[in-house]
Amino acid sequence: MKPAAADSGVRFRRIDLGGLEVPAAIAHVGDINYATGLMRDAVKVDTVEHLLSALVSLGIDNVIVELNSPEVPIMDGSAAPFVYLIHEAGVKRLAAPRRYLKILRPISLARGDKRIAIYPSDHFKVSYSIAFDHPLLRHQSRTIRLSEEAFVDDIAPARTFTFLKEVEMLRQRGLALGGSLENAIVLGDTGILNHALRFDDEFVRHKILDVIGDMALIGLPVIGHLVAHRGGHALHTAFAAQVMEERDAWEVVEAPVRAATDAVTLPVKGIVRATE
Ligand SMILES: [Zn+2]
């Protein structure tokens, strides 16, 4: 991650392709499978959502993300390693106002029993609920009012999850070969195959992490109460596009410019350094 000028946004730069860039923007959403991908012309960047979630939650609006491959490293399946690195590097406050997209009236989208909506609120809040046909995941729900601290403590460490059946299916198709028990919680028919959970409701917390990252493709942090049930990347990104289209449902507001100063580095709980 490299510094970028005010109003330049988040840009992924493929140094293995001579520095071609893909902006983190809803207009460039590409393949959505188990992760959110971006594409501009023939240039692809996959699995952007966990990094984008960390960036928007830590107040980073402008950054160049250099990659030497088509995929953002999955790390441990959470956003905690990205938070750690950002805090290690520090964040510079630019002499430009931070702009937000403030929701003025409700917007909603439903596909079958999957639903997502956003309502006016003075803060960015997320309420998420999930239900799976699995003994450990029948129902989980959580509401969180986002701040940097809340994200770092309660959301960033939550890891992605997958079902053993799906892993086996993918392997048969020659996919997910790099996937392992190190970068996702893997659910068997009756239990978890790896590690202890970091939270009792780690699964729904990870869905909150995902939707924050997908909504970051709007390009401005959102002020509103997002409510989602059984969503996934396809629903999240379709909704982000719909929010941008419904221009009478929001306004752009500016936060006052504060004195330029380096951000204070916060301690990060429960994170060990990834590979040196
Ligand atoms: Zn995820």
Side-chain angles (χ1 to χ4, degrees), residues 34-35 47 49-50 74 77-78 158-161 206-207 209-211 233:
Y34 293 89
T47 320
E49 65 273 17
H50 302 162
I74 188 68
S78 82
R159 292 162 297 165
T160 192
F161 55 96
H206 187 82
K207 297 300 277 190
L209 194 169
D210 277 342
V211 78
H233 297 301

Side-chain angles (χ1 to χ4, degrees), residues 64-82:
I64 294 164
V65 181
E66 288 192 350
L67 297 162
N68 64 352
S69 86
E71 188 167 26
V72 177
I74 188 68
M75 310 304 290
D76 65 350
S78 82
F82 300 127

